[in-house]
Amino acid sequence: MTFDKETLQTLLNLPDIAVDRVVLGERKTLKVYVHSTLEGTNCHRCGRPIDHEYGHGQEIELRHLPLFAYTVVLILRPKRYQCHFCEGRPTTSQTLSWYTRRSRVTKAFEQQMLLELINSTLEDVSRKHAIGVDALQGILDRNMACDVDWNAIERLEVIGIDEIALKKGHRDFVVVISAYINETLHVIGLLGDRTKASVQEFFLSIPKRLRRTVQSVCSDLYQGFIGAAKAVFGKRVHICADRFHVAKLYRNGLENLRKSEWKRLCHILSEEERKSFKNVHWLLRQRRADLNADERRMLNRLFRYSPKLQEAYEACESLTAIYESRLSKGQGKRKLRGWMERVTNRKLSCFDSFLGTLNTHFEEVTNYFIGRHTSGFVEGLNNKIKVIKRRCYGITNLGHLYQRICLDLNGYDRFGVDTL
Ligand SMILES: [Zn+2]
C-alpha cells in the first residue's frame, strides 16, 4: 500500500512535523513516522533557548486520533540540544506543542478521550478505545485538577452544600460544595467527612476576597453545615434550607402514616381489595396534578378508607404549593405558620417531628423565599451527582471523584467540539 505523504500530513493537522513514511501495522494500525521541522528548544535546567544540536533521543510512539477506523500512531525521534550556558552542558529533548512530555498520546487524542469520559467510566472508555485504565487516569490527571482553583473564580454568590453516600448502604459520606459561577454549576469542594469542623475549615480556605462575595448558603437542615456557615459567614449571609431536603422531611411524615394506616387496613380489606391498591404508595409520593384519571381514582378510593391519610396528603400538597408560589420572606413566614397551625389543630401527629424541625430552623426554612433561585441549582446538581454516584461506585479517592464530577459538569464546555 502506498500513501501520499502530503495528504496524510494535511489530515494529521499537526504543526512542526513532516511525514517520512507510513507503515500499515498489525490490528489496523497506521504507523506514521515523522520528524520535527522545528529548530531549537529551551534548556530544561536554565530555561534559555538553545540550538546546539546533539543528535536525537529515543524513538517515542504517540497515539493520535483514528483515521477511517485505523488506529494512528505517530513515531518520532525527538531532536536533542545541548546548553552552552549551563555547567556540564546538559542536553534537552525537544517537545513539540501537540504532545506533553512523557505522554504516550497526542493532546488531540487526550481531548478526545476526555470527551469520551464525560458521563462514562474509565473501564468503558478503556474497552471501547483499547487504551489502559491507567493511561486514561493519566490523561485525567494531566487535564483535570483534583481541587478547585480559586484564582479562576471572580465571585461566589450562592454556595450549595449537600452530602452523598459513596457506597450503597454505607455510612460513607462525601460532602459536596457547589456554586453557580458565570451561570454554570461548579463543584468547589469535596470533603471526606461532614463534621462542623471540617466544613468550617473548608469555608475558611476560601480566599477572603471570595468569601466577601457570598450572599447565601443553601444546605439541608444538618446542624453541622448550618453551624459552620454561621460561624464563618456570620449574619451577613442568608443560610437557607434547601427546599428538596425540606420536602423529604414532610414526605417522610406522610410515608410513616401510610405504613401504619396500611397495617390497620390490612385487617379490614379483603385480599382482592388489597391487591387493587397495588403501587398506591408510589401514587402518594406524586403530586395530584401529575397523576392520570385512573391513578386519582385509586387514591380517592384509598382516602375513603383512610380520611387521615387524605388530610396528611393534602397537607403535603398545600405545603408544596406554598413553596411554589412567589412569596416574600414575610409572606412565606405567615403562610408557613398557618400551615403549622392547621396541622397541629387537625392532630396530624405524623408531622410532629417535621414541626419540631420547622420550629428550630424557621429562619433557614423561610430564607428560601429570599433567593428562591437556589432551589433549582441544588436540584440540578443532585440529579447529576446521582448519575455519577451510580457509575462511580468504587471511586473512593476524593481527588479522582472531584475530577469526574467536574468533567461531567463542565466537560462539554472545556473539551467539546467548539473548543477542538
Ligand atoms: Zn541551560
Side-chain angles (χ1 to χ4, degrees):
M1 203 185 289
T2 55
F3 295 91
D4 176 349
K5 283 194 275 186
E6 263 173 47
T7 308
L8 198 60
Q9 197 153 322
T10 312
L11 288 172
L12 285 176
N13 192 25
L14 295 171
D16 306 324
I17 51 164
V19 174
D20 296 323
R21 62 196 171 98
V22 184
V23 177
L24 185 57
E26 281 170 25
R27 280 181 283 176
K28 284 193 87 177
T29 301
L30 281 183
K31 292 185 162 195
V32 184
Y33 289 82
V34 297
H35 69 263
S36 158
T37 54
L38 189 75
E39 290 302 330
T41 189
N42 290 81
C43 169
H44 71 272
R45 198 184 292 169
C46 69
R48 273 182 268 218
I50 49 175
D51 58 3
H52 291 273
E53 287 177 23
Y54 199 80
H56 290 83
Q58 293 269 358
E59 198 172 80
I60 55 171
E61 292 194 5
L62 293 151
R63 186 155 167 198
H64 191 46
L65 299 171
L67 192 63
F68 300 124
Y70 280 80
T71 300
V72 174
V73 176
L74 302 177
I75 298 168
L76 167 76
R77 290 189 68 189
K79 290 178 177 174
R80 280 165 79 82
Y81 294 91
Q82 194 174 39
C83 180
H84 287 195
F85 304 104
C86 287
E87 212 184 301
R89 298 195 168 183
T91 57
T92 303
S93 295
Q94 183 189 60
T95 304
L96 297 169
S97 60
W98 44 268
Y99 68 93
T100 316
R101 218 168 96 83
R102 292 214 173 87
S103 174
R104 306 285 307 272
V105 300
T106 64
K107 284 181 181 172
F109 186 79
E110 288 196 342
Q111 194 149 333
Q112 186 62 40
M113 288 304 104
L114 289 163
L115 211 49
E116 297 281 343
L117 280 168
I118 297 172
N119 300 328
S120 188
T121 63
L122 292 178
E123 289 72 19
D124 237 30
V125 176
S126 162
R127 291 184 65 179
K128 282 180 185 157
H129 298 277
I131 176 169
V133 165
D134 292 342
L136 285 172
Q137 184 58 53
I139 291 174
L140 276 172
D141 290 340
R142 274 192 293 278
N143 293 277
M144 304 293 300
C146 288
D147 57 19
V148 65
D149 173 15
W150 295 121
N151 292 325
I153 302 174
E154 263 177 59
R155 299 181 59 76
L156 280 173
E157 295 178 5
V158 183
I159 290 181
I161 178 162
D162 203 350
E163 57 189 21
I164 55 169
L166 267 193
K167 292 179 198 156
K168 235 180 206 152
H170 276 240
R171 294 203 59 78
D172 201 357
F173 287 102
V174 161
V175 176
V176 182
I177 301 159
S178 54
Y180 250 123
I181 298 161
N182 300 330
E183 288 169 41
T184 314
L185 189 56
H186 288 263
V187 168
I188 56 173
L190 287 181
L191 310 178
D193 75 90
R194 53 174 180 165
T195 57
K196 183 187 169 193
S198 73
V199 176
Q200 197 165 328
E201 192 186 305
F202 174 79
F203 284 151
L204 287 171
S205 77
I206 302 175
K208 264 200 184 130
R209 109 190 129 78
L210 282 176
R211 252 187 272 158
R212 278 196 288 266
T213 67
V214 176
Q215 290 164 4
S216 60
V217 176
C218 188
S219 125
D220 63 12
L221 290 168
Y222 176 56
Q223 196 53 52
F225 295 166
I226 293 176
K230 277 185 179 163
V232 175
F233 298 108
K235 284 209 172 108
R236 193 183 52 76
V237 168
H238 298 300
I239 296 163
C240 71
D242 169 49
R243 66 173 279 190
F244 296 96
H245 283 100
V246 176
K248 218 179 188 175
L249 296 179
Y250 61 80
R251 296 253 155 223
N252 273 348
L254 176 67
E255 177 66 10
N256 290 338
L257 179 67
R258 180 200 61 88
K259 281 181 190 157
S260 63
E261 280 294 272
W262 187 246
K263 244 182 218 165
R264 182 180 68 79
L265 289 176
C266 278
H267 297 295
I268 303 166
L269 300 172
S270 70
E271 202 187 325
E272 208 172 308
E273 283 172 311
R274 283 207 301 271
K275 276 186 183 159
S276 76
F277 284 120
K278 198 171 178 254
N279 292 333
V280 77
H281 64 284
W282 182 84
L283 301 185
L284 277 168
R285 275 183 229 141
Q286 314 301 313
R287 303 196 57 188
R288 196 175 254 136
D290 297 331
L291 299 178
N292 65 33
D294 281 345
E295 293 167 335
R296 280 182 212 186
R297 266 195 290 279
M298 194 202 282
L299 212 52
N300 289 337
R301 217 153 40 81
L302 178 72
F303 291 157
R304 278 202 289 280
Y305 286 105
S306 173
K308 197 96 205 164
L309 206 50
Q310 177 165 20
E311 279 189 74
Y313 178 79
E314 269 154 21
C316 287
E317 285 272 279
S318 70
L319 190 47
T320 306
I322 292 173
Y323 264 112
E324 293 289 311
S325 32
R326 300 242 149 219
L327 304 171
S328 67
K329 185 179 173 184
Q331 289 168 324
K333 274 184 164 176
R334 277 193 293 282
K335 291 257 183 196
L336 208 56
R337 280 209 194 92
W339 185 89
M340 292 161 84
E341 246 165 60
R342 284 197 300 282
V343 165
T344 313
N345 290 342
R346 287 180 196 162
K347 302 198 169 48
L348 286 171
S349 58
C350 62
F351 295 118
D352 279 357
S353 105
F354 175 62
L355 286 176
T357 310
L358 273 185
N359 276 317
T360 316
H361 294 292
F362 201 64
E363 284 304 311
E364 286 83 20
V365 170
T366 49
N367 272 344
Y368 166 77
F369 294 104
I370 300 172
R372 39 183 315 129
H373 61 280
T374 57
S375 62
F377 133 75
V378 172
E379 182 192 33
L381 182 66
N382 278 350
N383 290 339
K384 287 249 180 202
I385 286 182
K386 259 185 219 159
V387 179
I388 298 170
K389 205 174 85 175
R390 230 175 287 141
R391 266 184 15 235
C392 298
Y393 280 139
I395 298 185
T396 45
N397 177 313
L398 281 186
H400 289 171
L401 189 63
Y402 184 85
Q403 290 175 324
R404 303 309 297 279
I405 292 175
C406 290
L407 190 64
D408 280 11
L409 285 181
N410 316 117
Y412 282 116
D413 288 342
R414 283 188 56 184
F415 308 111
V417 182
D418 294 352
T419 63
L420 269 173

